[in-house]
Amino acid sequence: MTIDELVNKYYENLNDSDLYIWNYISKNKSKTCNYTIEELAKCCNVSKTSIIRFSKKLSLSGFSELKVYLKLEKEKPAFETKEEDYLNQLCLNYAESAQSLRNANMDKAFEYIYNAKRVFIFGSGSIQLNVAKEIYRLFFNGGEYFHYFDSKYDIEDVMYNLTESDVMMIISLNGESSTVIDLAKKLKLKNIPTISVTQFKNNTLATLSTESLYFSSHSYQLPGNGRIVGLLSSLFIFTEIFYIKYQIYKNKKMESEK
């Protein structure tokens, strides 16, 4: 397995600092394999501990083994990747994301939504807001009306009107922005049920939330220039599977209450 494949495999475990380290390494592989840990840490403007932690998140024993992978890759003869290989990997990522979400137990989150007087959705960025709008659209078609917002300036107005019979969904990529953490803390103080949706399982927002849901993200190597980009299509896959699973939950709940 190459270093790129390791990053792809363990991408969900990497935080912003790890991704910054990886961004430098991926652009300077031939130099990095000859660096000392002190030199790499200086180039990435991080501590030696951060480099070691990054290596271990890739299932490696430490920096020394990371260098071994980089040296082996440097010595390996180049080959041309077929275009269909890129597409196969992309489609495989879609399938893995869908299967993971299909198997996820979301019943506790659904219970809060089912019993809620109102459901609010906060999207912490442009992509997250689009996802919030899509959740709103899907649930509106199913007979539920959700409220969505993305501006931190709206938070105080929304918070003023929230009661314990409401539910807040917070959609965030890494769950570490100051805005979502501050919002989650305020919700916790008011005893408002909170459902977080993030791509990383270990994040501050998830720990502050009543229920936490996760979507898997994948890094993808672009054909041609070989650059690694993070793809967030699984977040939109999440919205559709989340909606269908809720409808199944809702129908069973209503049948049991008859």
Side-chain angles (χ1 to χ4, degrees):
M1 186 173 289
T2 66
I3 190 68
D4 295 277
E5 290 170 332
L6 284 175
V7 171
N8 288 343
K9 182 176 181 180
Y10 297 103
Y11 190 84
E12 290 183 22
N13 300 329
L14 305 181
N15 58 30
D16 289 341
S17 176
D18 298 321
L19 294 175
Y20 185 82
I21 294 170
W22 168 239
N23 183 56
Y24 179 85
I25 292 175
S26 64
K27 293 178 179 178
N28 302 276
K29 289 181 180 178
S30 60
K31 294 192 298 183
T32 305
C33 67
N34 296 314
Y35 280 174
T36 64
I37 189 171
E38 290 82 7
E39 290 172 330
L40 180 58
K42 183 177 180 180
C43 289
C44 297
N45 196 29
V46 298
S47 66
K48 292 188 294 182
T49 303
S50 296
I51 301 295
I52 295 171
R53 189 181 297 119
F54 167 74
S55 302
K56 290 187 175 181
K57 285 184 179 181
L58 301 183
S59 76
L60 304 177
S61 60
F63 177 65
S64 296
E65 190 173 3
L66 175 65
K67 286 181 64 174
V68 170
Y69 271 79
L70 291 171
K71 286 181 179 179
L72 287 174
E73 189 165 326
K74 181 180 179 181
E75 296 167 359
K76 186 171 60 176
F79 64 93
E80 183 177 354
T81 302
K82 297 179 180 179
E83 290 183 0
E84 56 265 30
D85 291 336
Y86 290 105
L87 292 175
N88 288 340
Q89 184 59 50
L90 182 61
C91 292
L92 178 62
N93 289 344
Y94 289 157
E96 289 178 349
S97 296
Q99 189 62 39
S100 176
L101 290 167
R102 179 180 181 178
N103 295 334
N105 188 337
M106 303 179 181
D107 285 357
K108 289 184 178 179
F110 293 155
E111 183 178 354
Y112 281 108
I113 293 173
Y114 183 81
N115 294 316
K117 179 181 178 181
R118 298 175 298 178
V119 178
F120 293 83
I121 313 175
F122 178 75
S124 63
S126 58
I127 294 176
Q128 297 91 312
L129 177 61
N130 286 335
V131 171
K133 289 179 179 179
E134 182 62 12
I135 292 176
Y136 160 82
R137 184 188 70 83
L138 290 169
F139 276 81
F140 183 80
N141 289 333
E144 286 92 9
Y145 184 80
F146 288 5
H147 308 266
Y148 62 84
F149 64 106
D150 73 325
S151 172
K152 63 182 180 180
Y153 301 106
D154 294 332
I155 290 177
E156 293 302 325
D157 291 336
V158 173
M159 287 296 302
Y160 179 79
N161 292 293
L162 284 177
T163 70
E164 293 182 13
S165 61
D166 297 320
V167 169
M168 176 71 73
M169 285 186 67
I170 303 177
I171 303 172
S172 172
L173 298 185
N174 59 24
E176 296 295 347
S177 75
S178 58
T179 301
V180 298
I181 291 174
D182 183 59
L183 173 58
K185 287 180 178 178
K186 290 178 179 178
L187 292 165
K188 196 174 184 69
L189 286 173
K190 290 193 68 173
N191 201 30
I192 309 297
T194 305
I195 302 169
S196 63
V197 180
T198 61
Q199 64 180 326
F200 298 122
K201 290 193 174 182
N202 297 317
N203 64 82
T204 305
L205 174 60
T207 62
L208 292 169
S209 301
T210 314
E211 291 297 326
S212 300
L213 302 176
Y214 306 98
F215 63 94
S216 58
S217 60
H218 298 278
S219 58
Y220 184 70
Q221 186 175 28
L222 296 176
N225 60 23
R227 291 186 61 187
I228 305 294
V229 296
L231 299 182
L232 297 173
S233 50
S234 56
L235 182 50
F236 291 91
I237 294 173
F238 166 86
T239 63
E240 296 178 356
I241 293 180
F242 177 77
Y243 171 69
I244 296 300
K245 291 183 73 168
Y246 176 77
Q247 293 303 315
I248 295 171
Y249 172 90
K250 177 183 175 182
N251 289 337
K252 289 181 178 179
K253 194 78 171 178
M254 293 175 68
E255 286 293 327
S256 67
E257 293 174 351
K258 286 183 179 179

